[in-house]
Amino acid sequence: MTASTPNLPQPTITIVGYGSQGRAHALNLRESGFDVTVGLRPGGPTEAKAKADGFLVKSPAEAVKDADLVAVLTPDMVQKTLYYDVLAPNMKQGAVLLFAHGLNVHFGLIEPREDLDVVLVAPKGPGALVRREYEIGRGVPCIYAVHQDRSGKAEQFALSYAAGLGGARANLIKTTFKEETETDLFGEQAVLCGGASSLVQAGFETLVEAGYQPEIAYYEVLHELKLIVDLFYEGGITRMLEFISETAQYGDYVSGPRVIDAATKARMKDILTDIQDGTFTKNWVAEYEAGLPNYKKFKQADMEHPIEVVGKQLRSKMVWLAENAPKPTSQQAAAA
């Protein structure tokens, strides 16, 4: 399935936002044959970049007026204001409104106009990967969903967009706004970000408090984690077990359940409940509207943790990191 498949629609597209995902989507869709315009605030930090990439750039209000499909690729907490102040008053009747994450729609922060098709397409990878895989003739798997189907063709629009990103070259999985939103939030909080960072910090603290050198602790609980995660990524837990020693395997079997036990899983269920019933989103909206006081405090504490101090010193000697690691802008990171 490609963007040019005869049975799929070929809408004119406006991409609102040009961070990591926005840029990858715009470039891939254009190279798949779509007519793509980029909607950005005049004078904003990404306007020059989008123009340098050869896109027609307009203010969001102007950019969406003639678009068949509008893709909202801005950070979650600005989408409500963007929709009600800019998109809803200017999108044409019967257009398609597309999101890459369902939070605002699923939790009712945005209630789309009745005449719009409302869909979701979410590549399962960061923007840089979405772009790189497309350029070499492959694609990143995408999940897609339909929230509102007024035209009778909403699913076809979602599939066409996903194919244009390169997702159909890999795998397309149908989901719902509810499933995408709740599983995404849970994964971030309980495992990928919150769970992993807290586990690493606790491991570091345990070793240092026992008298071991901070540098050794850093290598053992943070630096080497990448090696394990890469194996997970390549072939699941099975591949990881194939590549670690028998001693490490035995330690996995007998000690892993002592760290992540039934009580941990019960707390994960509490996190999931807070996500499902809207408690997390309610608290996050209140935090954002209050100017992010706790967010800033928590972030500063993480940045000042001793593992970050020693890590910065050790990474300065890892020349391969400076050579290979791109430096995303804050806006790119936010929109990733």
Side-chain angles (χ1 to χ4, degrees), residues 271-294:
I271 291 170
L272 182 57
T273 297
D274 283 350
I275 291 168
Q276 291 171 325
D277 67 17
T279 298
F280 168 77
T281 297
K282 179 182 177 181
N283 291 343
W284 174 220
V285 170
E287 174 72 16
Y288 185 84
E289 292 178 347
L292 302 172
N294 293 304

Side-chain angles (χ1 to χ4, degrees), residues 16-18 39 71-80 82 104 331 334-335:
V16 183
Y18 206 70
V72 181
L73 299 177
T74 58
D76 289 331
M77 288 298 101
V78 305
Q79 289 182 9
K80 179 180 177 180
L82 173 69
N104 279 277
Q331 183 166 347

